[in-house]
Amino acid sequence: MFPFGRLRTLLKSWFQRAALEAELDAEVRSYFEIMVNRYVGQGLPEQEARRLARLNFSSPDQVKEQVRDARAGAGISSLTRDVAYSLRRLRKAPAFALVTVLTLALGIGANATIFSIVSRFVFRPAPVGDPSRLMALHTTHQAECCNNFSWPLFSDVREQAQSFSGVAAYNELVPASISGQGEPERVWGQAVTANFFDVTQTGITLGRGFRTEEENLPVVILGHALWRQRFGGDLNIAGKAVTLSGRSFTVVGVAPPSFRGVDSILYCQFWVPLGNIDHLLPNTSNRVSYNYHWLAVVGRLKPGVTQAQTTVELEILARRITKAHADVQYDDGFRFERAGSLPPRDKAAVMLFLAALTLVALLVLCIAGANVANMFLAQASGRQREIAVRLALGATRRHLLHQMLTESVLLALGGGLLGVALSLWATRSLAAFRFPAPVPLDLSVNVDGRVLLYTFALSMATGILFGLAPAWTVVRPIIANGLKGEDLLARPGRLWSLRNALVISQVAMSIVLLCATGLFLRSLENASQIDIGFRSRGILIMAVDPRLHGYSPERTTQFMNTLRQRVAALPGVTSATYTDSVPLSGGGRGESFHAESQPMPSRADVTTELYMTGPDYFQTIGTPILAGRDFMNESATGPKVAIVNQAFAERLFKNENPLGQRVTGRGVTYQIVGVAKNIKARFLGEDFMPVLYRSLAQDIAGDPSFTGYRIMVRCERDPGAVGSALRREIHALDPTLAIFDAETIEEHLRDALFLPRLAGTLFGTFGFLGLALAAVGIYGVMNSWVSRRTREIGIRLALGARVTEVQWLIVRQGMLLTGFAVIPGLAAAWAVAKLFTSVLYGVRPHDPPTFALVPLFLAAVAAIACWFPARRAAGTEPLDALRHE
Amino acid sequence: MAKPTELLQGTLDLLILRTLESGPLHGVGISDRVEQVTKGVFVVGPGSLFPALHRLSENGWIKGEWSELENKRRVKTYILTAAGRAQLAEEKRNWKRVFTAMNRVLAEEV
């Protein structure tokens, strides 16, 4: 418990300082008067009595000082004194203060930025009421995590689980085209059970949540941003109708601004009751099947129920359900975690990436801190007289240490403040990186309260850590040196002075940073030169989703064909086609395929990427067909044909000729008519995956796309003009169609380079920072080395040493320090590089050129940093130097 | 007379509280009483007395009040509070425990 009584006296003593002082004065004085009286009573003259009292009982002032130290709040007043003193000192050395604060701001700003990312993705609770009691549930299959729930499984859990006061389910992503006033737009939302907003305890900003009886009614809750943008923040929106995918929905409410769904990264703009899913999503006919896992589930823990109890209950429940459904060979369990956590599948990778970034940012801060410690030491050399005087006047080492620490902590807090400002700017620039994904993501990063707290703690720690070492040295001057007129802080005979050790560790750390930077820059260079297997420029892409506007599959095909023909005839267009998705979108559709000809038992299934294509697809995207033929306007009802890539042919048919073979995936059989060149299908870093192209006309009915269809236009010049012409053509055919994901292939590929670009930028920045700071560190140390040895240099020159010899002496000293750092630096970099294996493109983590060039590069920078002090030393006038004292 | 003994850390508080148990006293009075009762073994100078008095009153164990002596001199007199009484009892128990333990250790000596 906090001692409140003590706090009260502390506050009282702080606010009534003057009164307390007067009282203390009176009390001590009366004590002395009594003593003096007593001596006078013993027959001493008053003068003598006073002298004796003072002799016996020390001076009244000293007594008062002792009382002040014992009093509560003594710490505070000595702190304010130290702060005031430090501020006064720093005002006298503005350049030192400025450089220190800037240096620390760079280091702390880097950390604040990275921690903003950590805070956003690891620590931010779900935007719901009482997030710590809302659990996201997953199913496990044969102990393998994690999958969504099927409808019957969700019903079982909702009815039987006693640990939860409420269980809600939702389909995570439902596309819809929203029309009405303004241009039609495609938006993403979620289909939720009617109790969703009650279970998540999400307060509705305007209107109300869903009622139980609305499970199948066309009602909708709008996201805050959608409401503001599309409906101008209409306060009377409740009760009005909006059109979603051609169907009228009644708005019942608007979600709060922070609510974009329970998940930490999806960005949803509307919510409809689950009963509307048939209308909004294709292929939901089997949604009551036990095998169709399409629902995300959240449960609100009952008050008082612990997570351990819930785990036990869910285990029992899983066993009961497995027994009850022995017919479907069901072997599922449950797992749960706090809602809003990272998706369990990506968690490990994201955490690793964030840990690496945090480590690197801390490294930058260490280099900055070492610089500051060095500057402190250099500064302290100029303060030796002051410190000696203060020690002589009776200041204790503790007092001095306190005061110097106050100074470094103050500077660090200043650096922290500026660092936060830097990170505000940096987090905003991070928004320029668009993560390639076919679904809407909210990856915005902000500086929040947790970041401020972290930055504050980090600044304090930095100030103390990097202030302590120099302060410790400074308050222990070597008096013997002073008598010889030498530097009070030089420890004679010590090879590893603190300053040298600091510089060596700085250089070693920047070697680690630079190696990482080198690796990621090489990775970025490689990634942008990877053979992706299709054209990387001169293609325009625009997406529509006619299904959302009530088009039948046949009408969709017809629409796309008409559009293609009209667009292909536009001036400046070389060729045009359509497809369901563009490669390198970060996702896509996949299916297992096997060869029909192979005997049953050996039918090895091959996971295959699927693309639906229109005429002229290969010509437009620039993937050559190596054998066989292109699609030739196959009829929708004719025998299904497919073109596969080399990887597919090799995996399924080894050395046989794939042409004419028949392959089957999910019950559909295709005859292979052509073989195309390999492409990168999902991510740049992947190995070539098997790909199967089918005809959109033949497959759109059986397997409609969830993310719409894209028209791809090849145009060599003026994509802007062709783009607006393309829009006009689409709206000429159907003015109600929403156009989305409009981009050029260049933009598309830039997003595909997300990871290498992000890593390259971050590590490039950090590497440059580290290098610059380390160079400044070497320069500073060599510079003060030269200052300290001015006399020695003067004697050398007077005795006939050549200027070049003196210069060489200094450069050699600096290079020696650098050399000492290379081995541990490279060893550490070698170890760290292993962590990056999975995120590098076409570079081995122990890339020889990087590891060979970094030390050389660093040596060159170090040599330049040493050259300036060396030049200064060479300019020393021997006579001046000898007259130094 | 032997030289005054160094006070053990923490015993000063006990000494002052115990001295005030028998009635209110001012600073000099406390010094005198301690010296007198311990037959000069402990001498409490103002340098340690005043900080201790302030510490004790900040803890609420003693209370200082200004009063006038016969010669019209104003002095601050300290009295034991209820909390101080409880604290004294506690410290007495502690001291007895330490004392007994120390004696045992010394008795062990061969």
Side-chain angles (χ1 to χ4, degrees), chain A residues 5-6 9 13 20 22-24 26-35 37-38 56-58 63 66-67 70-72, chain B residues 26-29 31-32 44-55 57-59 66 69 71 73-76 78:
Chain A
R6 185 125 180 100
T9 48
S13 71
L20 281 174
E23 201 171 318
L24 176 63
E27 192 180 358
V28 172
R29 193 166 327 130
S30 89
Y31 182 96
F32 274 87
E33 290 307 319
I34 293 175
M35 294 318 287
N37 273 0
R38 193 173 286 177
N56 280 350
F57 302 110
S58 63
V63 171
Q66 274 161 324
V67 172
R71 204 151 53 191
Chain B
H26 54 70
V28 182
S31 269
D32 288 351
V44 185
S48 38
L49 178 70
F50 282 109
L53 286 175
H54 275 258
R55 203 168 49 239
S57 35
E58 270 177 5
N59 286 333
W66 287 98
L69 293 181
N71 56 5
R73 194 183 296 285
R74 272 166 50 81
V75 291
K76 201 171 183 182
Y78 290 92

Side-chain angles (χ1 to χ4, degrees), chain A residues 107 115 206 229 283 301 305 458 713:
Chain A
F115 189 76
L206 194 73
Q229 283 156 20
N283 277 0
L301 288 180
V305 173
L458 198 66
V713 177

Side-chain angles (χ1 to χ4, degrees), chain A residues 359-534:
Chain A
L359 187 82
V360 165
L362 284 174
L363 223 53
V364 172
L365 181 59
C366 281
I367 296 178
N371 255 4
V372 169
N374 249 334
M375 281 192 270
F376 255 100
L377 272 175
Q379 242 251 332
S381 308
R383 287 176 68 178
Q384 292 173 14
R385 182 182 289 272
E386 175 209 330
I387 285 161
V389 167
R390 292 180 62 182
L391 279 173
L393 286 179
T396 61
R397 296 228 153 102
R398 240 186 61 180
H399 274 146
L400 282 181
L401 207 62
H402 268 194
Q403 199 271 309
M404 294 200 58
L405 276 185
T406 310
E407 205 171 302
S408 66
V409 168
L410 269 183
L411 287 171
L413 288 179
L417 212 62
L418 198 57
V420 167
L422 273 180
S423 70
L424 280 174
W425 168 79
T427 46
R428 208 159 297 157
S429 343
L430 277 180
F433 292 91
R434 247 177 46 84
F435 189 82
V439 293
L441 299 182
D442 169 23
L443 301 175
S444 59
V445 167
N446 290 309
V447 175
D448 56 21
R450 280 180 298 273
V451 175
L452 293 181
L453 206 67
Y454 176 81
T455 313
F456 178 72
L458 198 66
S459 307
M460 288 296 283
T462 308
I464 292 172
L465 203 66
F466 293 103
L468 199 58
W472 193 256
T473 318
V474 168
V475 300
R476 280 176 180 64
I478 308 283
I479 305 298
N481 288 5
L483 296 176
K484 286 185 282 176
E486 284 171 5
D487 187 349
L488 284 164
L489 301 182
R491 298 281 189 276
R494 262 226 218 155
L495 189 58
W496 300 103
S497 77
L498 180 58
R499 305 200 60 179
N500 287 351
L502 283 171
V503 163
I504 289 173
S505 50
Q506 259 186 322
V507 174
M509 286 188 278
S510 38
I511 285 182
V512 178
L513 272 183
L514 281 179
C515 283
T517 308
L519 286 176
F520 280 103
L521 289 182
R522 297 235 324 146
S523 158
L524 177 59
E525 187 197 354
N526 280 341
S528 53
Q529 288 170 1
I530 282 177
D531 180 16
I532 52 174
F534 58 91

Side-chain angles (χ1 to χ4, degrees), chain A residues 522-523 526-527 530 840-844 847:
Chain A
R522 297 235 324 146
S523 158
N526 280 341
I530 282 177
L840 291 176
Y841 296 87
V843 191
R844 278 172 300 141
D847 179 46

